[in-house]
Amino acid sequence: MRKLWAAGVLAGALLLAGCGDPGAGGEAPEPVPKAPGAERAERTPSAPPPSATSTTRKRIAAKPAPKVLYLGDSLAMENQDVLGAHLKDRLGARYRSAPYSGTTLCDYLEGTGKDSLVPDADKAAALIRAERPDYVVLQFWGNAWGYTPCMDGITYDKAPGKYFDRYAADAQALTRQIDAAAGAGRTRVVWVLQGPDAITPDRVRRVNALYQARARASGGLVADAGKAVAPASARYSWAEKLPCTSYETKHPAYCTEPGRNLTALHRAKDYLHFCLAPTTAKSRPCPVRSPGIRRMASAITEAVASDLR
């Protein structure tokens, strides 16, 4: 088992070097995002997908369009354009994203200074004060390899107890900073639950439990995006491919093996990321249609939409 874990750590390190740490709706497919010419923290999709159903439009017409801020690690980095397209199309949302690959919760805490991978201007509280969003979506796999300095070398494999204690403390500190920054203008935190971990499935199960507990304690929301990329009968069993959803069957670009009714969620040998394009030295939004990313974006959008109904 130690050999398997060591292999996972090595694979994780290689993935970090390339792209960072590591539902099905009724709308038509979004356009393929274009690869950026330069790295930017804030991105918006060049063209949103076609209009959502009139029923959805009527439900949100009575309320102002929500303002959504999306923060997170390399999974958020690759998801950001597709999520922005879904939020804008379904909810008319105003949207900003500021993900940084390789990060974890402590990177977005104010006061971490040089020991953080996130600059001061993009800390969660700083962006809340500047943007005044209605929702802040937090997408963190749960850096387990000590890649980010603010974790002070605490890793899951060496000290799982300290790792979970620290992660819970950082989640509490982050929600407190967000609430303080929001002031009278309430910002709801949306905790994104993660998909299965191929190496240590119990780690993600416990990380998700921490997110759920923090949401209950602070009045936040939970978006189970991880469920959308897990087998229907085994929430924490990792799978490279899954059966195509009805949406993917109707839109062949998202059903990668239609003859077998299967679609790829991951590239071979990349058990963490969901972008079907190869990782690059500079992290980027995913430049190709990727079923896993679309599934997660749909689940996050639905969580926000449900709260607005």
Side-chain angles (χ1 to χ4, degrees):
M1 188 61 171
R2 293 293 299 175
K3 290 182 179 179
L4 178 60
W5 170 252
V9 172
L10 177 59
L14 292 173
L15 291 174
L16 288 171
C19 196
D21 180 27
E27 67 268 45
E30 66 277 346
V32 178
K34 294 181 180 179
E39 189 67 17
R40 295 171 57 199
E42 177 184 353
R43 299 179 189 275
T44 54
S46 56
S51 297
T53 64
S54 58
T55 301
T56 302
R57 294 289 188 193
K58 289 176 182 177
R59 282 194 184 119
I60 65 174
K63 296 186 179 182
K67 192 170 188 179
V68 181
L69 174 65
Y70 186 40
L71 308 178
D73 54 21
S74 61
L75 296 183
M77 176 65 76
E78 65 183 13
N79 291 354
Q80 61 184 310
D81 284 359
V82 176
L83 177 60
H86 278 249
L87 288 167
K88 288 182 177 182
D89 180 65
R90 285 198 62 191
L91 308 178
R94 295 163 292 165
Y95 174 74
R96 178 174 177 180
S97 57
Y100 286 85
S101 293
T103 57
T104 192
L105 297 174
C106 61
D107 285 291
Y108 281 89
L109 286 169
E110 289 189 319
T112 48
K114 66 180 181 180
D115 289 331
S116 171
L117 300 178
V118 176
D120 288 345
D122 285 344
K123 300 293 190 184
L127 287 173
I128 297 296
R129 287 190 291 268
E131 300 291 330
R132 298 295 178 186
D134 301 296
Y135 299 92
V136 55
V137 179
L138 302 180
Q139 162 76 71
F140 291 94
W141 168 253
N143 187 310
W145 301 294
Y147 182 73
T148 178
C150 69
M151 282 295 287
D152 300 320
I154 298 173
T155 60
Y156 173 77
D157 63 320
K158 292 180 180 179
K162 286 185 178 180
Y163 167 83
F164 289 119
D165 287 346
R166 173 62 184 275
Y167 213 71
D170 287 343
Q172 183 179 48
L174 190 57
T175 52
R176 286 178 174 174
Q177 287 192 2
I178 288 171
D179 286 344
R186 175 70 168 156
T187 296
R188 297 202 74 182
V189 177
V190 182
W191 294 95
V192 179
L193 303 188
Q194 304 304 293
D197 184 333
I199 304 300
T200 54
D202 190 56
R203 185 196 67 83
V204 159
R205 187 195 306 270
R206 293 185 62 180
V207 165
N208 284 347
L210 290 174
Y211 291 161
Q212 291 170 308
R214 181 90 313 254
R216 288 192 299 269
S218 59
L221 300 174
V222 168
D224 195 356
K227 183 178 180 180
V229 291
S233 60
R235 171 63 176 81
Y236 288 98
S237 294
W238 184 88
E240 181 181 336
K241 301 174 183 179
L242 286 178
C244 297
T245 64
S246 59
Y247 176 92
E248 290 161 355
T249 300
K250 292 176 183 177
H251 300 84
Y254 289 95
C255 188
T256 60
E257 297 181 32
R260 301 174 61 200
N261 192 39
L262 290 175
T263 197
L265 302 181
H266 304 272
R267 296 181 71 247
K269 300 182 181 179
D270 185 343
Y271 59 81
L272 173 57
H273 300 101
F274 293 89
C275 183
L276 297 185
T279 57
T280 56
K282 287 187 177 181
S283 300
R284 59 180 179 171
C286 187
V288 300
R289 287 189 178 94
S290 299
I293 288 177
R294 188 192 179 280
R295 289 182 181 206
M296 290 189 293
S298 294
I300 296 169
T301 302
E302 178 57 29
V304 176
S306 294
D307 191 58
L308 291 171
R309 291 180 186 134

